Amino acid sequence: MRRLPVYLLLDCSGSMYGEPIEAVKNGVQVLVSTLRQDPYALETAYLSIITFDSSAKQVTPLTELSAFQQPNIEANGCTALGEALSLLATKVDEEVTKTTAEQKGDWKPLVFIMTDGVPTDDLNKGLSEFKKRKFGMVVACAAGQGADTSVLKQITECVVQLDTADSATIKSFFKWVSASVSAGSMKVEDTGTDVGTMSELPPPPPEVNIVV
């Protein structure tokens, strides 16, 4: 069974304290419960969560949706986005089955990054590790006006911005992520090809602006 790995990289720095981090927790819950109602996603999508504050940690290893447990997410510290990208590269090497002559491996991972600030560590080190791996679709989300979209553009072409980091907007973003994972699951099952471009995802809601 070829899995569709989905990695969420979530900013849990101090500036996310209060309403934004609560919205992220709710967003993850809604994401999982929505995908559990989708037979394609339930069969194919596996979810991992990496959080980053002053350091990065994988709070949920790559897990099938039916067994997913809500991790404990709290806001404090700085924004170690570079370290989060390094950790993502390491975990993809460990968790994603590669295609060989003998077997078809997993689909290329979908990655959704959400941050409300700018990296406080060395982004380039993590970025170079990240760039050595193959991903299907990488979407970076700038939550609110404190995030620098030009930094996110170094990670991926697909950058979206939320005008505010409040609960309604963050909820819209997670709804769109779940719709995107559903679309990705359906695509790999129906066509046998990876998801690679924004045009293959559902159009984002009005709160989620595509940065060109």
Side-chain angles (χ1 to χ4, degrees):
M1 180 67 215
R2 300 180 73 182
R3 304 176 302 172
L4 177 65
V6 180
Y7 286 88
L8 298 182
L9 275 63
L10 303 176
D11 184 341
C12 294
S13 59
S15 55
M16 290 287 288
Y17 186 79
E19 187 184 351
I21 204 75
E22 292 306 318
V24 167
K25 287 189 215 175
N26 293 341
V28 171
Q29 275 174 331
V30 169
L31 171 87
V32 173
S33 59
T34 307
L35 291 176
R36 279 180 177 158
Q37 293 161 25
D38 174 345
Y40 283 104
L42 199 54
E43 195 164 290
T44 315
Y46 279 62
L47 184 61
S48 166
I49 296 182
I50 290 172
T51 58
F52 55 99
D53 42 46
S54 299
S55 62
K57 51 190 173 291
Q58 187 183 42
V59 293
T60 307
L62 201 60
T63 305
E64 61 184 309
L65 291 170
S66 57
F68 183 88
Q69 304 267 326
Q70 179 83 358
N72 183 31
I73 299 174
E74 292 174 357
N76 54 38
C78 309
T79 311
L81 179 55
E83 193 183 322
L85 292 176
S86 292
L87 182 59
L88 172 66
T90 306
K91 293 301 175 186
V92 164
D93 290 350
E94 291 171 5
E95 295 177 331
V96 178
T97 309
K98 295 192 171 40
T99 298
T100 62
E102 288 76 47
Q103 65 162 5
K104 289 273 193 200
D106 292 329
W107 300 104
K108 288 185 194 144
L110 303 181
V111 180
F112 296 91
I113 302 165
M114 181 177 185
T115 180
D116 75 332
V118 290
T120 48
D121 64 346
D122 179 6
L123 183 71
N124 291 331
K125 183 165 167 279
L127 196 56
S128 68
E129 284 305 308
F130 170 80
K131 295 280 190 195
K132 290 175 195 163
R133 311 305 191 276
K134 284 194 165 62
F135 296 96
M137 183 79 213
V138 181
V139 176
C141 172
Q145 300 303 320
D148 187 342
T149 53
S150 63
V151 170
L152 298 178
K153 279 279 186 187
Q154 295 174 39
I155 303 171
T156 175
E157 274 301 292
C158 305
V159 176
V160 296
Q161 182 154 34
L162 313 178
D163 290 332
T164 54
D166 63 24
S167 54
T169 313
I170 290 174
K171 186 178 175 187
S172 292
F173 172 69
F174 276 98
K175 272 190 167 159
W176 177 62
V177 171
S178 59
S180 299
V181 173
S182 284
S185 307
M186 198 176 212
K187 180 174 189 232
V188 297
E189 292 271 328
D190 282 352
T191 67
T193 53
D194 288 296
V195 180
T197 61
M198 234 11 198
S199 60
E200 296 166 54
L201 301 180
E207 298 86 348
V208 179
N209 309 304
I210 296 175
V211 178
V212 288

